[in-house]
Amino acid sequence: MSPSARTTLSEALNDFRRAWPQLVVTALLARILAVVIITPAISLLVKLFLWRTASGVVTDEAILAFFLHPFGLAALIIVAAVTIAIRFAESGQLMVIGFGAAEDRRVSWLRALVYAYRRAPALMRIAGTALLKLLPIAAPFLAVVGGIYWLLVRTHDVNYYLAEKPPEFVAALVSAGILLAAVALIVTSKVAVWLLSVPMVLFENTGGRRALRASERASRDRRWKFTVWLVGWLLGIALVSVVVTTVSSWLGRLVVSLLGSSLTALVLGLGLVILLAWLANLAISVFASVLFALLVTRLYRFLAGPGELRPEISPPGSLGDRPPFRVPGKLLIASAVALLAIAVVSSLMVVDDPDWEDPTQIIAHRGGAWVAPENTVAAFERAISDGADWLELDVQENADGEVVVEHDRDFMRAAGVPLEVWQATNADLAKIDIGSAFAPEFSDQRVPTLREVLQLARGKAGVFIELKYYGRSSDLERKVVELVEETGMASDIVIMSLKYEGIQKMAALRPDWTYGLLNAVAIGDLTRLDVDFLALTAGATRLGMIRRTHRRGMKIYPWTINDPVQMWVMMSRGVDGIITDRVAMAKRVTELRAEVTPLGRFILWMAGELDLLRGAAPSSSEEDA
């Protein structure tokens, strides 16, 4: 670290010491403001840009097409610019307080907020201009990455490449990684020389574009020093977060091992660890955001000039050498504490309700692919014997027009056979061994038809039928309807797909059936779609999403949930069912929950949410669908 960098850090820490009450309150209130006002406002802005789409929602692969359209690209830039400008304003509040501390001026959180948000238009111009400058830099790299994908990993189904990792996939992954690292470094170097643009807007009343140019001039000779500093800062914060998470997880496991024999002691111990972990993460988040703003402010004063607070919002000499004992915004802090207390009491009242039910259903993903080859008769039979409420399977048409059960578009992953499903005849399927790759004892397994599975499941389990579309389906919807009705399963099936258009076609044939959208990534509110349920990734199945779905009278099913802690978390959040490869494990979790008091369930839920028991991180990806 150079002497000037050490001096800058020392000065920033001194500013924090002298003005920490104002800085901490401002950082906390910025987070509250983001949750209560800013995030809903940005969501409304997104909805305005989606008005011209048929459903008001863009899902999965349609997202790329949406953003490649001029309207979608403009929407992306505007929404991103507004979001970044708000982040600039949040950091700007801290910079205003830090600037005041450097000049011995005591700036309150309210004055800092008003001062920063009055300059929001200029901050948005900074964000928009920066995005427009970065797009031409990133676009060629991203195009090359797309070309690598098209050339090297398009021959077979993507699941084959992910599972087997052949040489061409590794080459594509390494090449794409190098290119993305290069573009990330270039983008970071550009951002590094723009760091001073926000304080220039705040303290020189400079326009957005002029501020970017002025920041580049002031930082030009220090571009790579600033880049290294910025990368080091990001890595340092990430490292501290990892350390806190690791220590918290270690403490959680220690509590379980030491106090696991007593439920009361376990609940109290995990409750204490949860509180400590939450406080530690909050402290890191607040301190990191505050210190970064103070460092940028000091760098600005060192490199670009003194600037001034215009209008003057606090007199010189009003700060003092020591922070005041009287924390600003006491009423707001007291209100926040009161709300927290109300939330805790309400939660305890809920978890102590003796009638609290746990109605989660268990859905065997591709028949329960943990113990048998996926989408085989052996898997479906095992799932039924393990007590699955539903069997989930994938259907598509083969060359003879038969509706068969297969997930991938070819058989490379299942059997090492490059034949695509739509080109395979019934005779071909009779020869393809899709079980030996899982274990030798399953060598007799062949691709089943939908009719076989429906007949197997009748009277034993319901069936989730996922419609697969690889661009070669002639009449899949009608054929599925006929098979379901011929086998007498109409009241024991639900239909879902990644393609909303396919669901609509199916619903036109049988409007009284149950339909759901399977989704990995979406823009817009999925609960506005005309479906009965949503099957979402674990990462998307948040509490807010679950509540919105239930308010609309819809059900929600996360996939693919294979870790017992994650199962517990999802059940505690109130999902209607979990899609899992491990049916027996899921049934054991439901049995264990029946043995634990509601308060114990709640504590274990919170421990899982904070990853204190490990395994609660989202595990599903689009390829699981």
Side-chain angles (χ1 to χ4, degrees), residues 535-558:
L536 304 179
T537 63
T541 314
R542 300 296 182 187
L543 275 172
M545 185 64 184
I546 295 170
R547 290 183 183 130
R548 288 199 306 275
T549 304
H550 286 165
R551 280 199 299 268
R552 299 267 185 174
M554 301 161 64
K555 293 185 177 182
I556 188 166
Y557 306 103

Side-chain angles (χ1 to χ4, degrees), residues 167 245 281 319 337 523:
T245 301
N281 282 299
L319 180 63
V337 171
I523 302 174

